[in-house]
Amino acid sequence: MTTPSARLAALGLELPPVAAPVAAYVPAVRHGDLVHTSGQLPFIGTAMAVTGKVGPGGVSLDDAAMLARTAALNALAAVADAAGGLDNVERILKVTVFVASEPSFVGQPAVANGASTLLGEIFDGGHVRSAVGVAALPLDAAVEIEVVAVVR
């Protein structure tokens, strides 16, 4: 059995530094055996990877799915920090994906698959998920993700 950190490395990935909050909150809170993250944006370093709404004339579905993957990595960094390391994470329990959507866009589940697929490659067991279209997100992000994880 391989560890989450070994699976992450096998994917050629590493956790980024925990993103600094952009307002009055903390990135993650541990309560008992659960870690809840605040909404995590698709930052690469300190820059937003892509901004705008997903849909016709805006951010493409493929780009939005990659942004969801990036935001999921940022969420994992916050979870790992609160848990004392990625290998202390037993599983991802719940993922909520918010997608800033053009009015006609209804592909939020496909965007969320960018996060779910990555998390499924790192952790055994599935997770429950919501994919929600919204009018706007902080800093004009196209995607925002919240995660609940079970930790040791």
Side-chain angles (χ1 to χ4, degrees):
M1 181 165 96
T2 59
T3 64
S5 60
R7 290 183 194 126
L8 186 70
L11 294 170
L13 299 172
E14 59 184 50
L15 291 180
V18 177
V22 298
Y25 62 87
V26 295
V29 171
R30 181 175 182 161
H31 183 74
D33 64 348
L34 297 177
V35 172
H36 295 258
T37 70
S38 295
Q40 299 294 311
L41 302 174
F43 284 117
I44 297 175
T46 59
M48 189 75 64
V50 174
T51 59
K53 292 185 176 29
V54 181
V59 178
S60 73
L61 177 61
D62 289 343
D63 286 347
M66 288 304 298
L67 294 170
R69 180 181 170 97
T70 299
L73 274 175
N74 290 338
L76 279 183
V79 168
D81 187 60
L86 186 61
D87 292 337
N88 289 329
V89 180
E90 290 183 17
R91 74 177 296 175
I92 301 301
L93 193 61
K94 168 93 169 130
V95 177
T96 305
V97 180
F98 301 96
V99 181
S101 302
E102 294 288 345
S104 66
F105 183 74
V106 294
Q108 291 84 6
V111 172
N113 283 343
S116 290
T117 300
L118 174 67
L119 296 171
E121 291 173 326
I122 298 170
F123 296 99
D124 292 327
H127 56 267
V128 297
R129 181 184 86 188
S130 298
V132 182
V134 298
L137 289 168
L139 305 176
D140 198 26
V143 177
E144 182 175 2
I145 294 179
E146 294 176 354
V147 170
V148 178
V150 178
V151 299
R152 294 180 181 80

